[in-house]
Structures are given as structure tokens and as C-alpha cells.
Amino acid sequence: MFSRCPFLHNASRFRGILSLLTLCALLLAATPTLAVDPSTLGEAAATGGENQGQRPVIVGGNRGYPPYEFIDESGKPAGFTVDLLRAIADVMGMKLDIRLGEWARVHDDLVAGRIDMTLGMSQSADREKVFDLPTPHTIVQHAIFARKETKPVKSLEELRGKRVIVHRNGAMHQQLVKMGFSDELVFAETPADGLRLLSSGEADYAVAALLPGMYIIREHKLTNLQPVARDVMAFKFSFAVREGNAQLQAQLNEGLAILKKTGKYQEIYEKWLGVLEPSALSRAKAIRYGAAVLLPLLLLLAAYIFWSRSLKKRVDLRTAELAREIGEKKKALDDLRLHQDQLIQADKMASLGVLVSGVAHEVNNPNGLILLNMPIIAQTWEDALLLLEEIYRTQGDFDLGGISYSRMREEMPHILDETTEAARKIKRIVEDLKDFARQDIGEIVEKIDFNEVIRAALRLVEPTTRQATNHLSINLSAEPLFVRGSAQRIEQVVINLMVNACRALPDREKGITVTTSLDRKQQAVIMQLSDEGVGIPLENLHKVTDPFFTTHRENGGTGLGLSISAGIVKELGGTLKFDSIVGVGTTVTLSLPATRGNA
């Protein structure tokens, strides 16, 4: 019997083995263990099981940091970093023992060397001194959360003097301590615990990662909470390895690179993080919105072209009829020509007034929509910018509207500002056109701000002056100038004078100067318009206000502009004087009686 039991024949060997077993039991009992959910035990057997002889990598993680890492409803580790590390372990032939617990304990266990790595850690200069941090796998934006009735804040500095909940030993805990926060801080073991405390009124604000915060609010139905400042701090997020474990760090970096090349990383990202990002405006919807704006404008343009051609045909028919009548009686040709051409011009101006009023009304409607919608579009861009930045940081540059996002984010604010300013300019031009086209009742009774009339006239001829010269100088009197008369008629005079000055310029380097002043001695308001044009020969100078006299007939001149202008000025009790030197230029002086009240 005893011969079958070697240990009984050698008591010393038996006692040695018994002592060895006892020592092993004591060592196992004394080894510190990470606080984990019981369901996470055995993870090593589930991952990398083909390398049975390899020691599993002990991995710590935060049990309440969704969607990055958390314990799911079945009690098992889940989340973005969990799936990402498992995928790396598959391609690199690693065995894992994943243990999720309170983050503060996980942090301390990694410092003490009781675990090999963590699933996630926000990178900082201080942490790089303690841990080895592999290549970041994502960017984590942090936000300030508050109850809906709490006054919003925009920055971390505004939290001073408030009770602020932070994740113990988290990146924002360390950041706020570095900023000098101390007594204001309220600690929570998980972000979910912190947001529940905030929802119940235990503090004023909470600082947490944006995506986990939004995930927790949605899953736990904390409907009284909202983010009030969405991008107060951003951290690169990566695995963390015990200092000095260069081999494990290299394995993680190599495995992450492989996953990105094969597309597995993007698949995991879309599964956990992509579902939390709002979708971009579809191309079809953008086309519909664009068509809704552009189609009415195109229809209006087509209607305007059709109406303009119809008007030209009517004018041509009328002119032909008048020409036939003039041919019947040669003796009355000159008088008839004068009266009929003036009638045609008046008819054109009346028709133009109707056209301008109609077009101005139709342009104002869509332009009003543009001015109304631009602030909404600008706000939409601001709201979308955070998500676009997240995509840019995690996935790199991408095209947006046919332009790279890195360029678009610089250009978009300028595009929005320029579009808004252009719409405002359209509105000002339309208002000036409506004022100019308003029917003149013929009574000279208005007290008019002369400088404002000049400005309105210059705005109307701005396209003409812009094409004619690069040097337009406007020097309006600083003191108010008032005359009594018709603003529309004075505008017509100034427009005629400006058009003639532009036609006289030989090239764009020659200039035009407009000056206004008050002659107190003569009690007159003066406007001087000087051009550096070709000048008027002395023999033609006294004929410039005669009806039908023009030297620009080949450019569309009728010879009626200055004649009509001289008649208007005469009715207003003023004078129109021309001084010119051939090859040097012309100066026109418009003088109107000043109204009492000029300062």
C-alpha cells in the first residue's frame, strides 16, 4: 500500500511540496485585484485563445463611460474602445483580460503596475510623464452641462464660485485643479453618476465629455439637462500603457494602423460614434432649396426681358407713325420733331418708372427672404461646426461643397457675410430706384437735404461711374445744405451731369470730382462737378443746353439730357454754368437758392 504512495516514503519531500502550495495560496490571497464586475472575468479565454501559453494582457477600463467603454445590460464589457482593442488583439495575436471598474481605481492600478494598460485615457503633458500613450484613436470634446433653468455659461472661467461636478481623476478634474479650482469641485466616480447628481440639483454645473454626456442623458432620460458650452476643451484619446512597456505600446500602434488600413476601424467607429452624429444636408435637398430661390428669379428675369422687348416694339411703332406724319408736312418738320421726340422721351421715362416700381417690388420679395434666411443659415453653420470639426479631427480632411473642409471653414464666414452685405446693397439700390421712379406731382414745395439727393443720384449711376473711371472723388459739405424743390428733378439733373462727365473721359485713369458747399454771401447751395475729360470746344460751349445738341449720338446720346436739366434748374430758380478747356476737362457749377435753416 505504502509502496504505491511515494510521498509517504519521503516525508521531507512531502513537507516541501506542502509548504510550496501554502506559499502559492498566500501569494494569490495577497495579490491586489481590480474592482470589476464579475461578468468580466474570463475575458482572457474569450480573446486570443489560440495562444494558450501567452500571459493575457490585463486591461482596465471605466465601467460608466459610454459609448466608449461601459458594462452592457448582459453584464459584459462593451463600447468603442472595447471593440477596438478586441479587434487589435485579433490581428496581433494577443490575449486580453478586460476588467471594468471605477476610473479612479483603474487609474491608480495602472500607476501601481497592477494592470498592464487601460482602454482609454485623455492625453496630457502630465500624464505623458507617468504613462506611455500610444497613437490616439479619437478626439474627445468636453462640454459644460447644466439644468435647463440654470443660467448658461460659455467658458470654464465662468464656473468660478459655482459648484461643479467632475469625474474623479479624469482629464477635466486635473485641468480644473491646474486652473486653481478646489472647493468648487464635487467628485463623481462615473460621468453617469455626475449627471444624475446634477439632474437632482446637487450642484450648479457638470464638466464631462460631450458624447458620453449626451449618450447618458438620452439613455437615462435626464430630460432637464442640456449642454450649455459644447467645446470648452478637446483631448486626444488613446489607450494608456504602464510606463516602460514599449513592446505592448508598439503592438497597439501596429494593430491600430492595420485596422485603419483594412477599414475595420471605420466600421467600429460608425457602430458606436457615427450614430450619435447628425447627418449632413443631402444633395437633393440642397438642390430643392436652391431651385426654390433661383426659379422665381429666373422667371422674373424672363418676364422682364419679354416686357422690355415689347416696350421697344411699341416705341418703334410709335416712332414710325410719327415719322410718317412728319413726312406729310415738310414745313412743320422741325417743330413736330421737337415735340414728338420730347413726347417719346417722356413716354420712355414714364414707362421706365412703372417698370422700375414693378421690378423693385418683385426683387424686394426674394431679397427679403435672403435677408431673413441668412442669419438662420449662419446659425446652422455655427451649430454644425462642432460636428464637422470632430469629423476633421478623427478622419482627416474631406470635401464640403466641392471644397476641402480645411479651406471651407475659413471661407464660409466670409461667404455668409458677403452674401448678407450683397443683399443689403440690393435693398438700398431698390429703394433708390423706387424713390427715383415715384411720380413727380410738379409742386416745388419740399425742403430737401441737398447732400442726400446727391448721394442718392450717385448710387444710381454707380455702375456707370465704375466702368468709366478708377478715380471718383466725392467731397460733400459737412454742414447740412437745404433747398426747396423736387428731389426727383434734382436727382435727374445730377444723373444727367454725371453721365455726361463719364462719357467725356478718354480712359479709366482720368477722374471725376463732386463737391458741395454753401455760398453764404449769395445765399446759394453750390455743387461743382469736374471731370478730366476731352473738354468742350469754345464754339460748342454755348450750345450744350440746346435741344438735340450732342457729340455722343453714336453712344446713344439724344441731346435732350442737358436741355431738360437746364429747364429744371431754371424752374427751381437756379443756374447751370459750364467751364471747359479742351484736353484738360470740364467743370459744371450748379447753383440753387438756399433755404433758411442752413447751419
Side-chain angles (χ1 to χ4, degrees):
M1 177 179 177
F2 289 106
S3 63
R4 297 179 182 178
C5 187
F7 294 110
L8 296 180
H9 288 288
N10 194 335
S12 62
R13 287 179 63 190
F14 177 80
R15 285 193 300 271
I17 292 173
L18 182 62
S19 299
L20 181 61
L21 292 174
T22 303
L23 178 61
C24 290
L26 289 173
L27 287 173
L28 288 173
T31 300
T33 60
L34 185 65
V36 301
D37 189 276
S39 63
T40 65
L41 298 178
E43 178 73 18
T47 305
E50 68 277 13
N51 296 321
Q52 296 295 332
Q54 179 185 6
R55 184 183 76 82
V57 177
I58 301 176
V59 184
N62 191 338
R63 68 176 177 82
Y65 200 58
Y68 294 99
E69 52 204 65
F70 61 98
I71 297 175
D72 64 15
E73 294 178 353
S74 63
K76 295 183 178 180
F80 171 72
T81 55
V82 174
D83 282 2
L84 187 63
L85 183 59
R86 284 172 175 165
I88 291 174
D90 286 341
V91 300
M92 299 303 296
M94 300 163 54
K95 289 172 57 177
L96 303 176
D97 184 357
I98 300 179
R99 308 174 179 184
L100 302 188
E102 305 295 345
W103 171 249
R105 179 67 178 273
V106 172
H107 177 277
D108 294 343
D109 284 348
L110 184 60
V111 173
R114 291 189 289 268
I115 60 176
D116 298 307
M117 62 173 288
T118 65
L119 286 168
M121 180 176 289
S122 295
Q123 295 189 359
S124 68
D126 292 337
R127 287 177 169 178
E128 288 179 356
K129 298 175 182 178
V130 181
F131 310 109
D132 288 340
L133 302 176
T135 302
H137 49 65
T138 188
I139 303 292
V140 176
Q141 303 283 351
H142 286 72
I144 301 173
F145 292 84
R147 292 181 296 278
K148 290 181 178 179
E149 69 273 10
T150 304
K151 180 181 178 182
V153 296
K154 296 181 179 179
S155 67
L156 296 176
E157 286 296 334
E158 296 183 49
L159 297 178
R160 295 192 185 278
K162 309 294 184 182
R163 286 175 56 79
V164 182
I165 299 172
V166 293
H167 186 193
R168 188 188 302 275
N169 275 358
M172 291 310 301
H173 174 191
Q174 296 174 355
Q175 178 65 30
L176 291 173
V177 169
K178 186 182 296 185
M179 293 174 64
F181 286 79
S182 177
D183 296 338
E184 304 99 322
L185 301 182
V186 178
F187 300 108
E189 299 304 324
T190 67
D193 294 341
L195 292 176
R196 279 193 288 264
L197 285 174
L198 179 64
S199 179
S200 66
E202 290 297 319
D204 302 309
Y205 301 93
V207 182
L210 178 61
L211 284 183
M214 298 300 293
Y215 185 96
I216 292 166
I217 288 173
R218 184 185 70 185
E219 294 298 315
H220 295 274
K221 296 180 173 58
L222 304 179
T223 55
N224 65 329
L225 299 184
Q226 65 180 359
V228 293
R230 288 178 173 266
D231 192 10
V232 295
M233 189 74 66
F235 293 96
K236 295 178 180 178
F237 197 57
S238 68
F239 303 117
V241 176
R242 184 162 43 86
E243 187 177 25
N245 196 341
Q247 180 181 357
L248 179 56
Q249 183 179 9
Q251 286 180 302
L252 294 173
N253 286 337
E254 183 179 353
L256 181 60
I258 293 173
L259 295 186
K260 288 186 176 181
K261 290 290 185 182
T262 61
K264 184 65 176 177
Y265 171 87
Q266 187 63 30
E267 178 184 333
I268 298 171
Y269 182 93
E270 291 295 334
K271 173 184 175 182
W272 290 105
L273 304 182
V275 296
L276 299 177
E277 300 173 353
S279 59
L281 181 67
S282 68
R283 180 183 296 271
K285 187 175 292 185
I287 291 174
R288 287 200 300 272
Y289 289 161
V293 174
L294 293 176
L295 187 58
L297 291 177
L298 292 175
L299 291 175
L300 180 62
L301 179 61
Y304 168 74
I305 294 173
F306 176 77
W307 193 92
S308 178
R309 289 180 177 177
S310 299
L311 175 62
K312 186 178 183 301
K313 289 180 179 179
R314 293 208 313 267
V315 172
D316 290 344
L317 289 173
R318 183 77 174 273
T319 303
E321 292 173 2
L322 293 175
R324 285 193 298 270
E325 292 177 9
I326 292 172
E328 294 176 358
K329 293 186 179 181
K330 189 175 183 341
K331 182 179 179 183
L333 179 62
D334 292 337
D335 291 341
L336 186 58
R337 179 187 172 195
L338 175 60
H339 286 74
Q340 294 298 337
D341 281 355
Q342 287 180 336
L343 179 61
I344 292 171
Q345 187 69 17
D347 185 57
K348 285 184 179 180
M349 294 302 296
S351 298
L352 182 61
V354 174
L355 173 63
V356 166
S357 296
V359 171
H361 177 73
E362 293 300 326
V363 170
N364 256 345
N365 287 339
N367 193 59
L369 287 176
I370 294 173
L371 286 171
L372 180 64
N373 290 334
M374 283 308 299
I376 299 174
I377 295 173
Q379 185 60 50
T380 302
W381 170 254
E382 289 295 327
D383 292 345
L385 198 56
L386 176 64
L387 297 175
L388 294 172
E389 282 293 317
E390 176 69 13
I391 296 173
Y392 178 76
R393 292 190 182 98
T394 57
Q395 302 181 30
D397 210 351
F398 58 94
D399 285 347
L400 189 64
I403 302 174
S404 65
Y405 172 71
S406 58
R407 178 184 173 192
M408 178 62 80
R409 65 178 176 182
E410 302 295 332
E411 295 292 337
M412 193 63 179
H414 302 300
I415 292 173
L416 294 173
D417 291 342
E418 289 171 356
T419 304
T420 302
E421 185 56 31
R424 288 173 180 161
K425 185 173 182 180
I426 290 173
K427 182 179 180 182
R428 289 195 298 270
I429 292 173
V430 167
E431 291 299 327
D432 289 340
L433 286 172
K434 288 168 66 177
D435 290 341
F436 180 73
R438 190 175 293 116
Q439 187 175 359
D440 188 358
I441 61 175
E443 295 292 332
I444 307 175
V445 294
E446 295 179 274
K447 183 179 179 181
I448 300 166
D449 185 335
F450 188 67
N451 283 337
E452 281 302 315
V453 173
I454 301 298
R455 290 189 185 96
L458 292 175
R459 285 196 296 268
L460 289 175
V461 297
E462 181 184 354
T464 302
T465 55
R466 192 167 55 245
Q467 291 178 1
T469 179
N470 294 328
H471 306 286
L472 174 62
S473 177
I474 302 172
N475 304 305
L476 302 185
S477 170
E479 61 182 337
L481 304 178
F482 296 99
V483 297
R484 189 169 295 278
S486 167
Q488 293 170 271
R489 292 185 177 183
I490 297 175
E491 277 185 18
Q492 185 177 356
V493 172
V494 177
I495 289 171
N496 285 335
L497 295 177
M498 281 295 298
V499 170
N500 276 278
C502 290
R503 287 175 176 171
L505 298 179
D507 58 68
R508 295 172 59 88
E509 294 307 311
K510 300 297 183 180
I512 298 175
T513 302
V514 180
T515 305
T516 63
S517 61
L518 175 65
D519 186 341
R520 297 185 182 278
K521 183 177 180 181
Q522 299 294 329
Q523 282 299 298
V525 171
I526 307 297
M527 183 199 78
Q528 283 194 327
L529 193 157
S530 301
D531 66 67
E532 297 175 348
V534 296
I536 304 172
L538 184 60
E539 63 270 23
N540 292 336
L541 198 57
H542 68 284
K543 297 188 290 185
V544 292
T545 58
D546 289 350
F548 305 108
F549 178 82
T550 178
T551 58
H552 303 288
R553 199 172 300 276
E554 68 278 7
N555 296 325
T558 63
L560 292 174
L562 291 180
S563 176
I564 294 172
S565 298
I568 292 173
V569 172
K570 185 176 180 181
E571 288 180 8
L572 297 174
T575 60
L576 197 59
K577 181 183 176 183
F578 295 81
D579 297 300
S580 183
I581 299 176
V582 176
V584 176
T586 301
T587 297
V588 183
T589 303
L590 168 63
S591 174
L592 294 173
T595 298
R596 293 190 179 186
N598 281 300

